[in-house]
Each structure stands twice: as C-alpha cells, then as structure tokens.
Amino acid sequence: MAYAALVSLENTIHRFLNHNLISNSAEEKQQITSLLEYVTPIRAFLEAVPDESRSWDEQMRELANAAEDILEYLVLEKVFLPCENELESYSTLGFHHDDVDDSKRHPSAKHELHLETVMEEIALISAKVKNIKVSSSSKEVQRSSNSSTLSSSSTDPTIHKNSMVGFDDHMMNIKDRLCGNQSKLQVIPVCGMGGIGKTTLARNVYDDKLIKENFAIRVWVTVSQDYSAHRILSDLLESLKEYNKKGGKEESADKKVYQILMGKKYLVVMDDIWRSDAWDIVRNVFPDNVNGSRIMLTTRLYDVATYPGPAIKPYELGLLDEDQSWSLLKEKVFANQDCPSDLENIGKDIARSCKGLPLAIVVIAGLLSTVTKNPASWLEIAEMVNSAKTAEQGHIEEILSLSYVELPQLLRPCFLYMGSFPEDHEIYTSKLIRLWIAEGFLKFPINTKSFEEVAEDCLEDLVKRNLVFVTKKKSDGRIKSCSLHDLIRELCIRKAHESKFFLNLMDMDIEKENFMESIKKERRVSTSYLSFFSSYGGSAIHSIKCSKYHIVKLDFVEGVRLVRVLDAEAADVESLPSQLFELFHLRYLAVRYSHSIPRIISNLQNLQTLIIHAEKRDKFGVGVVRGMLVPWCMQQLRHVYFHGEIYFDGPKETTCSLENLHTVSCVNSACCSEQILKKIPNLKKLKVDCSHGYGRDASCLNNLVHLHRLENLEVYTGHWVGSRSKSYNFAFPEQLKRLTLRDLNLTRNDMIVVGSLPNLQVLKLKGCTCSGSTWETTEGTFPVLEVLLVEGSRFKNWITESGHFPILKRLLLHSCWYLKKIPNDIGEIPTLQLIELKGDVSKSLLESAEIIREEQEDMGNNTLQVSTLLCRPGL
C-alpha cells in the first residue's frame, strides 16, 4: 500500500513546513521541500497507472513510512527539546525541558535510516517513474478517469432495501410461516452459504408492512462470530428499551427480556448465528405466549439451523438460476433503463460466471457501473470473472477481489480500513470520516472542498460500487451509517494484512507474548486487548483501535510516541496519564472517562477529534463528569464531543480563534457570547446546554446568529423552564438545516422565528410546551421543512394548515400524551409520506391519525403511510 504511505507522507511534510509551532532552518526547509518534489510525482504516477508499481510497491511503502517517522521524530525533538533561548516560548505549550526523561532525548537518533539515505532511495524510484512513458489511452488511465465520475445509472444499494430478484417466492414462504395459524412459539431458521442473501431476505421480511402489522414487538439482534452472553442479552434489552416501562432495575438482563415479552406477540430475528451455544444463551428468555410469536434465525451452518429442535426444518436458500442472475445484474447496473443489445450476451456470460451467488453478482455489477458501457470494457471484465475461482468451487474471494483491484488508489486505503471495525458492526459515517482524515488517507490540500466533503464522496463511491452497504440515511439523503458483508470484510482484512496496511487481531484468541510479536513493525492495529500494549516500546505504531469493553490503563502510551489515532471508545479508562499529553502527533482521541479533564490537554496541539464519554451515570442517566476547558491554542481541533459541559479557556482578549472547529457537543450557554462565537466562525454542529449556571436565562441564544455556517443546532434548557412564559428572543443563523429544542416553553413569537428559517429541513421538539398549551402556526412558515418530530410534547392543541408545511414528508409524534389530535389539514400536504405515532399517546390522537389515513385512501392517495409503532393509547 505504497500510495497510502505516500499520501500520508505528503500530508506530514505540509504540516512540518507550515506548522506555526515549529521553527525550521532554511537548510531544513530546502531538504524537506526536495523530499516533497520526489514524493508528489510518484503518488501522481500511482494514481494513473497503479499496476506499474508492483515491483517496487513494498519498497516505496517502507521508504515513505521511514521518512515520515524521521520527520515526526524531528518534530518531537523541536517541541520537547528546544534550544535554551527558545525554552520560554515553548513553555507556553506546557512542555518543560526538565520534565523530559533522558531516555527520550533525541529519539530520531535511534532510527537506523537517516533522512538523507531515505531520500536517496526515494529519488531513485522517482527517476524510474519519470522514465516510464504513460499513454493517455491506456486502460489504467481510462479507469482512473472513469472512477472520478460514476455512471448516472449506478444504483444506491442498502442492506435494508436490497434487491429481491429471485427472492419473491422466498419472501412469500417465510411470511406464511411467520403469520401462520400455529399459535405456539415457533423457531424458523434460514440457512445457506455466505453471500447468498440470508440477511437481505430476513431484513426485507422484517420490514414488510404485513409483518409490522402482525407483530406488536419486533426485535433484530446480530450475533456474529465474536459474541458473548452479556452482549447478546444486552443487545436484546437495548432493542426492547421502548417497552421497558416497569422498572425492575436490579433484575438481570435475561429476566427483564422475559418480562417485557411476556403476553406480547413478538418477532425476534437473530441474524448470523455461528454456534449452537448462542441459542442456548437465549432459549429461555423467550416466553411461549401461545399467540403466534416467532423467532427467526439466519446461519450458514445446517447443524446450527436444526439445533433449536429436532422437528424444526430449516428454510434453505439456494443459488440463483441463470435467468435470475442476469436479472439481478441488469437491475443493479441499469436500474430502470434497458440494457443495450450489444452488451446483453456479455452481461449474461458475466452473470453466469458468478454461479448464482447474489453477493458476487452485486459486487461485479458495482464494478461494471464504473466502466464505459461498451463491449470492449465489458469483455475485459468478463475475461477477469471467468478466470477467477467461482462460488461453485466454494471460493468467491477472487471474484470479490476483482472490485478491489479495480478501485482507484484513493479509495483503496479507505475501503481496507473498514475491515478494522468489528464483524457486523454498524459503522457511523461521522466516525469513519474522522478516522480517515486523522489517518492521513486524503490528499492535502483539497481545492475548494473540505476533508469531510472529500471523504463523503469516497464513501458514496464505495457504496455505488456495492462494496459497502448503507444501513441508515439522514433526512437529507446522506449516509448516516453503513456496514460490510462478512465476506467483503474478510477481503478487507486479508488484503490489509498482505499489504502491511493494518493488523486486525480482534477476531483472534491470542496470548500476550504472541500479541507482542505480531505487532512488531505494524503501523495500525485493531485489537480487543488494549492492556497487552503495557510493555510495548516500539515506534512503528501510528494507530490503535480497541473494540471490546474492558477497564484499562493507558500507561502504555509512553511506548507509542508517534501514535496519531487512539480509539479506546469501547474501553473504560481508569486514568489519563501525563504521558498521554506528550503524544504531540495525536489527531484522534476517543475514551470513556468519568473524571476531570486536566488543562494539560492543551499540549495535544495536533488533535482534530476529541471524544470523551462518561461511563458513570446519575439516576437520570446523565454522565457524571465535570466541565472541560477547550484552549484557544488547539488550532487543529475539528470535532469535540464531551458528556459534560464544555467551556472555552483562555484570556478573553486573546486574538486566537478556532477556524477549523466544526462540531461542539455540548457547550455551556455561558460561552455563547458574541465575542466567543465569532472566534469559532466555521462551526457547523452545536449542542448548547442552558440547564444551569449563568446560562439559565438563555438570553445569549440570540448570539447564535453570528455562526454563519451553523447547520445543526440542539438547545437543551432542562425542566426548570416549565413555568416560563417569556420569549427567548431567538435569533438563529439562516443556514440552519436541523434544529432540536429540548424542554423549552415556547411562545408564539418563538415558533414564528423558528418557522421563518429559510433552510430548515428537520425540526425536533422534545419535551417542549407552548404558551396557552396551543401551537398555532402561521402562513409562510417552514418553507422547506421535510421532517417534523414532536416527542414528549406538553401542549394539547395544534392549529395549522397544509400550506404552513408545504413540503413536509415525515411527521413523527412520539409519546405525545397531551396532544389531542392531528389537524385534518395535515393529510392534505401533497408531499407527506409518513405519519408515525409511537409510545404513550391519547386515544383521540390515534383516532385522528386513522381518520386522515381513511380520507386519503378514499381520495386515491396510496403513498401516505400511517404507522402506530409501540403505541399505548390512553384516555
């Protein structure tokens, strides 16, 4: 993976040359600039003709890594060991000459390779590249250019709404079993080989309208290979939390699950079971209510499918036939368009070569969507598929590998990195993108686009290639979370190991001695054994990800001086050692920590993302953590998440500003002064806590108008505002797209201000009330609002007209106990697709929703759905 190493090296060089805390001599600048002049052409060459680098790819990767390590050690020397006359200026960072251990002095001297030697070898490769004549008509260049602009016919596959070509009969058969007359609790196993569509079938059945109406409770739990009794039961309980209204806090998870399901008609899907003892863990938590409840299992193994009982006959999925294979391929490549006649026979040959395995067909369709739609391009793909091992031989790895080989260089590290997440893990886009940026996978600089925008484009590209599946979308259609199929994840891990890109030890049962041996010379490690690093003293590791919950110490950080990613979000950290704040190159830090955050955090001058979760919680479920001060000197900060209150630290008269800061959650409202907000001008997402302290009057919220790029805002005031009637005097920035208001007592003027926001697409009112217990909208409001969520409202009446919400698509009313009815005019909104009622609601509210549904049906409107999910009607 020379390309990823070169991009990272380029980024490091730019930071070295432009860092305002590092003083470089003219000689140093000239030397590093020369290195950049060697590196950039090699990186550009790899983008154009990646196959030409096979003979020297490994050598180039090691040289780039070595050069980067030397530069980063030089930076540490400059920061930790300044000249005597520079000590005063560097002490402002919190670094002190006398505090540095002698063993850490001049760490770059420990390197076997000096920068001059590395540069000489890189120069030889650079000369080699210049002598290779790149033809503009070569297939590699053609593919590279094609990759930047995908065909408009590329589909947008999701794991929830995947194509069901060839699955119609399976759908009907499974639904018949689920909704049959048998009243006793039944287990329905679905089995078949990997990639055959078990999860797709189960998910489409699970989301089917008839199934939703037939079962009062539906629960989905993914088991996977790496499971435990605690995790399975916790996942079950988490999925059932909407029903857990009876307390029982001291009872075990299995008893709670049993009590919640008792007397209810439920459907539980246990996806991806690998061993029979996973069923033993849960078999006794499912009561037989003799009401038609069902449990559906998916597994690759026939023995596991038959394990729940000798009389159970598994539902086996077979391979697609040739016609079904071609139909699936054609649908994925052309969507609703016709296939050109000169491509049909070639396409059928490609589909036939996939031997009926849906996953292989879908992945190859993603590859076909990126090349020119002409016979020459398709014949080339057909030749590659025909030469690969096929599913009939029990191997589809080579077919899946074809799509990896054809990926542009920019996408390869992004794709492989996704294999560092746990199996069947829901990967949130926000976290994935921040990790990609911190790892240095994206080129610098990026024209007019931000790193985040380029990263989103990369993810969209992987989705269009059917290598990544969307699990959730945001209201604006962007990807909220995604996942990998097990076989594609295995491909990622295998290719990553082969190319020394990262080492995944999450799925391995390994002894500490073997662990230490395995991670030698690795740059990125994903593990469940964070504590094993305690005796590690190597310099190679740049990234550590921990995926398993346990209590851990971070005393090992002294041995990972160059680490830039420390993702310990799953672990509960006992303490934050002082050595942590000497990790000058750290860009991404995520931990669970429930104590005060020391001011010395300001030493982390390169930190981009800071995530601190609180493990300990009070009786309200709120993390018990004190406030955290964010210093103005942390110029690289982009995203800060803290389960406490954030304050901005430093002299009020400081001229510093945090130009890169995009996300803050959550800040004390005392920080919402005009003076402070103007120093974070590029903020896009903000959560403000007005619940206590100076901010209880919420008067400073009108200063938010100075955040001209703010798109997503959440304001929390706490229940102290319940009796308040005075207007908040809101003044929000016009760019705002998403607004969440929690526990506010809103006046009519307040809601007019909210409704007048010209770009507001999503509005969430949680625990809010309106003066006079009535929410009355006015003409000309909410011009582009698409999603309205009202949760736990404390107002009784809602007066509105369809024209006040001209393009509303989704109306979600959750636990609206006091609200009497939905205004009839809501049903007249032409764009409305869904009315969802959930939780505790009044009987009259349910009735009004049903009246709207019937009226719209009588008028021929079949697009509007009314969902009464988990509803418990009252008087």
Side-chain angles (χ1 to χ4, degrees), residues 610-630:
L610 175 61
I611 301 172
I612 300 181
H613 290 293
E615 188 60 28
K616 296 177 182 178
R617 298 182 177 275
D618 62 17
K619 63 181 180 180
F620 300 110
V622 178
V624 184
V625 185
R626 296 179 182 178
M628 178 177 69
L629 296 173
V630 176

Side-chain angles (χ1 to χ4, degrees), residues 79 652 762:
V79 172
K652 291 184 178 180
V762 179

Side-chain angles (χ1 to χ4, degrees), residues 465-731:
R465 292 168 180 269
N466 295 326
L467 291 171
V468 175
F469 299 99
V470 179
T471 52
K472 289 178 184 174
K473 283 196 170 187
K474 299 178 182 178
S475 56
D476 59 4
R478 291 155 61 205
I479 301 169
K480 183 175 183 179
S481 63
C482 58
S483 65
L484 296 180
H485 188 281
D486 292 352
L487 296 180
I488 294 178
R489 178 175 176 268
E490 290 169 12
L491 168 70
C492 285
I493 293 172
R494 187 173 70 255
K495 292 292 184 183
H497 288 187
E498 289 172 1
S499 59
K500 299 291 184 182
F501 179 67
F502 77 74
L503 180 65
N504 188 324
L505 297 173
M506 287 188 296
D507 305 329
M508 302 180 188
D509 186 11
I510 190 170
E511 298 294 329
K512 184 173 181 178
E513 293 76 15
N514 295 331
F515 176 89
M516 298 302 296
E517 183 65 28
S518 298
I519 64 175
K520 284 182 178 178
K521 297 184 179 180
E522 293 290 343
R523 291 185 85 76
R524 301 177 188 88
V525 177
S526 186
T527 179
S528 302
Y529 308 97
L530 202 58
S531 58
F532 281 8
F533 280 94
S534 57
S535 58
Y536 180 77
S539 61
I541 288 184
H542 280 58
S543 176
I544 300 173
K545 292 180 66 184
C546 177
S547 61
K548 193 175 239 179
Y549 176 81
H550 59 292
I551 298 174
V552 68
K553 295 181 179 180
L554 295 181
D555 52 1
F556 64 86
V557 296
E558 187 174 5
V560 287
R561 304 276 288 162
L562 302 184
V563 72
R564 61 177 60 164
V565 169
L566 179 54
D567 182 7
E569 196 170 356
D572 190 9
V573 176
E574 288 185 340
S575 63
L576 300 179
S578 60
Q579 292 88 345
L580 175 68
F581 306 105
E582 294 180 8
L583 300 177
F584 186 72
H585 296 295
L586 194 63
R587 301 176 192 170
Y588 184 104
L589 174 62
V591 295
R592 289 186 180 274
Y593 184 69
S594 302
H595 307 287
S596 298
I597 309 301
R599 286 176 178 263
I600 197 174
I601 195 171
S602 62
N603 288 1
L604 302 178
Q605 293 288 302
N606 287 298
L607 199 65
Q608 298 171 353
T609 298
L610 175 61
I611 301 172
I612 300 181
H613 290 293
E615 188 60 28
K616 296 177 182 178
R617 298 182 177 275
D618 62 17
K619 63 181 180 180
F620 300 110
V622 178
V624 184
V625 185
R626 296 179 182 178
M628 178 177 69
L629 296 173
V630 176
W632 292 109
C633 62
M634 298 182 72
Q635 297 287 295
Q636 300 302 317
L637 266 184
R638 303 176 79 86
H639 310 281
V640 181
Y641 291 89
F642 181 66
H643 284 199
E645 285 191 306
I646 296 170
Y647 299 83
F648 290 96
D649 188 27
K652 291 184 178 180
E653 62 275 8
T654 180
T655 58
C656 294
S657 60
L658 298 177
E659 299 278 346
N660 293 310
L661 195 59
H662 287 178
T663 307
V664 178
S665 177
C666 64
V667 69
N668 185 277
S669 59
C671 292
C672 292
S673 66
E674 179 179 352
Q675 184 183 29
I676 288 178
L677 294 182
K678 284 185 174 181
K679 293 175 183 175
I680 46 176
N682 296 313
L683 205 64
K684 292 185 177 180
K685 185 175 181 179
L686 174 66
K687 182 176 179 180
V688 182
D689 186 353
C690 306
S691 60
H692 54 274
Y694 162 78
R696 289 183 75 131
D697 61 10
S699 61
C700 56
L701 293 179
N702 58 355
N703 291 325
L704 297 174
V705 72
H706 298 292
L707 296 175
H708 300 295
R709 297 194 175 185
L710 192 66
E711 296 180 356
N712 191 331
L713 171 66
E714 180 174 349
V715 177
Y716 169 71
T717 60
H719 297 288
W720 62 269
V721 298
S723 60
R724 185 186 178 93
S725 59
K726 184 179 177 181
S727 173
Y728 293 102
N729 191 28
F730 287 143

Side-chain angles (χ1 to χ4, degrees), residues 665-850:
S665 177
C666 64
V667 69
N668 185 277
S669 59
C671 292
C672 292
S673 66
E674 179 179 352
Q675 184 183 29
I676 288 178
L677 294 182
K678 284 185 174 181
K679 293 175 183 175
I680 46 176
N682 296 313
L683 205 64
K684 292 185 177 180
K685 185 175 181 179
L686 174 66
K687 182 176 179 180
V688 182
D689 186 353
C690 306
S691 60
H692 54 274
Y694 162 78
R696 289 183 75 131
D697 61 10
S699 61
C700 56
L701 293 179
N702 58 355
N703 291 325
L704 297 174
V705 72
H706 298 292
L707 296 175
H708 300 295
R709 297 194 175 185
L710 192 66
E711 296 180 356
N712 191 331
L713 171 66
E714 180 174 349
V715 177
Y716 169 71
T717 60
H719 297 288
W720 62 269
V721 298
S723 60
R724 185 186 178 93
S725 59
K726 184 179 177 181
S727 173
Y728 293 102
N729 191 28
F730 287 143
F732 297 125
E734 290 192 349
Q735 282 299 112
L736 205 61
K737 295 179 180 179
R738 301 172 65 93
L739 175 62
T740 302
L741 302 175
R742 297 173 61 96
D743 299 320
L744 275 74
N745 189 355
L746 301 163
T747 67
R748 191 174 185 218
N749 286 337
D750 292 332
M751 291 310 296
I752 290 175
V753 171
V754 171
S756 299
L757 290 170
N759 296 293
L760 190 64
Q761 298 171 5
V762 179
L763 174 62
K764 299 180 180 180
L765 304 175
K766 298 185 175 183
C768 293
T769 188
C770 296
S771 31
S773 296
T774 298
W775 178 22
E776 183 174 0
T777 62
T778 57
E779 189 174 353
T781 54
F782 304 106
V784 296
L785 193 72
E786 296 183 2
V787 179
L788 173 60
L789 166 66
V790 182
E791 181 179 295
S793 68
R794 300 195 294 274
F795 55 88
K796 298 178 181 179
N797 305 305
W798 182 15
I799 302 172
T800 191
E801 298 177 13
S802 59
H804 298 179
F805 298 94
I807 65 169
L808 189 68
K809 293 180 180 178
R810 301 170 64 200
L811 172 62
L812 313 174
L813 303 175
H814 295 174
S815 301
C816 293
W817 177 259
Y818 298 101
L819 187 60
K820 294 179 181 178
K821 62 176 292 189
I822 304 172
N824 285 341
D825 251 30
I826 288 292
E828 303 298 322
I829 300 174
T831 54
L832 193 63
Q833 300 170 359
L834 173 67
I835 297 176
E836 179 182 276
L837 274 63
K838 184 177 179 180
D840 297 322
V841 296
S842 66
K843 185 177 180 181
S844 61
L845 188 66
L846 278 171
E847 290 173 348
S848 67
E850 183 61 24

Side-chain angles (χ1 to χ4, degrees), residues 57-328:
D57 188 90
E58 182 177 352
Q59 180 192 9
M60 187 65 250
R61 183 195 72 236
E62 292 181 355
L63 287 170
N65 287 341
E68 185 172 46
D69 288 352
I70 293 172
L71 288 179
E72 290 181 336
Y73 269 129
L74 286 172
V75 170
L76 291 181
E77 282 189 350
K78 289 175 177 292
V79 172
F80 283 94
L81 298 171
C83 301
E84 292 298 326
N85 59 356
E86 293 177 321
L87 284 178
E88 185 177 349
S89 62
Y90 279 105
S91 66
T92 60
L93 303 179
F95 298 121
H96 301 286
H97 187 276
D98 294 336
D99 293 337
V100 182
D101 190 284
D102 284 337
S103 64
K104 298 175 193 172
R105 297 180 186 273
H106 303 287
S108 65
K110 297 179 181 178
H111 252 270
E112 296 179 3
L113 290 173
H114 294 288
L115 190 57
E116 294 85 353
T117 306
V118 174
M119 285 179 62
E120 288 174 6
E121 296 193 43
I122 292 176
L124 291 175
I125 295 177
S126 181
K128 219 183 266 188
V129 164
K130 290 178 181 177
N131 290 329
I132 299 175
K133 186 178 180 181
V134 181
S135 170
S136 61
S137 61
S138 69
K139 65 181 181 181
E140 289 85 358
V141 171
Q142 182 182 358
R143 287 211 182 105
S144 179
S145 62
N146 285 342
S147 68
S148 62
T149 307
L150 289 169
S151 166
S152 60
S153 64
S154 296
T155 57
D156 182 17
T158 73
I159 208 164
H160 293 299
K161 300 293 182 183
N162 220 330
S163 174
M164 293 301 293
V165 170
F167 276 51
D168 291 342
D169 289 342
H170 296 311
M171 279 277 291
M172 292 301 300
N173 292 337
I174 295 294
K175 284 162 64 176
D176 285 345
R177 290 197 185 190
L178 292 175
C179 301
N181 295 327
Q182 174 63 259
S183 59
K184 283 185 171 293
L185 176 65
Q186 284 190 323
V187 179
I188 302 169
V190 178
C191 69
M193 66 183 298
I196 206 164
K198 301 181 296 297
T199 299
T200 298
L201 174 62
R203 178 58 76 175
N204 278 272
V205 170
Y206 183 83
D207 289 335
D208 184 79
K209 183 179 179 181
L210 175 64
I211 298 301
K212 287 181 178 179
E213 294 173 351
N214 194 60
F215 294 94
I217 294 179
R218 295 176 307 125
V219 180
W220 183 286
V221 177
T222 302
V223 180
S224 304
Q225 297 185 68
D226 181 24
Y227 69 91
S228 65
H230 172 76
R231 177 184 156 189
I232 294 176
L233 293 171
S234 296
D235 288 350
L236 272 171
L237 193 58
E238 176 66 20
S239 300
L240 290 166
K241 64 181 180 182
E242 293 287 346
Y243 304 88
N244 188 19
K245 301 290 184 180
K246 296 184 178 180
K249 295 180 181 179
E250 302 304 319
E251 294 178 338
S252 59
D254 55 345
K255 289 183 179 179
K256 286 184 181 179
V257 171
Y258 188 91
Q259 288 176 355
I260 294 169
L261 295 178
M262 176 61 71
K264 308 288 197 311
K265 186 176 183 181
Y266 60 85
L267 167 64
V268 175
V269 177
M270 298 188 65
D271 184 41
D272 200 18
I273 294 184
W274 282 80
R275 289 165 54 186
S276 55
D277 54 3
W279 172 249
D280 289 334
I281 291 169
V282 297
R283 66 162 66 237
N284 293 322
V285 307
F286 300 130
D288 186 356
N289 299 319
V290 198
N291 60 0
S293 293
R294 300 287 185 263
I295 300 167
M296 183 159 59
L297 315 176
T298 73
T299 179
R300 297 185 192 184
L301 308 173
Y302 189 87
D303 290 346
V304 174
T306 56
Y307 183 76
I312 293 175
K313 183 179 180 182
Y315 190 90
E316 297 186 69
L317 287 185
L319 298 167
L320 301 180
D321 61 32
E322 290 187 9
D323 290 338
Q324 291 170 335
S325 297
W326 167 235
S327 294
L328 178 57

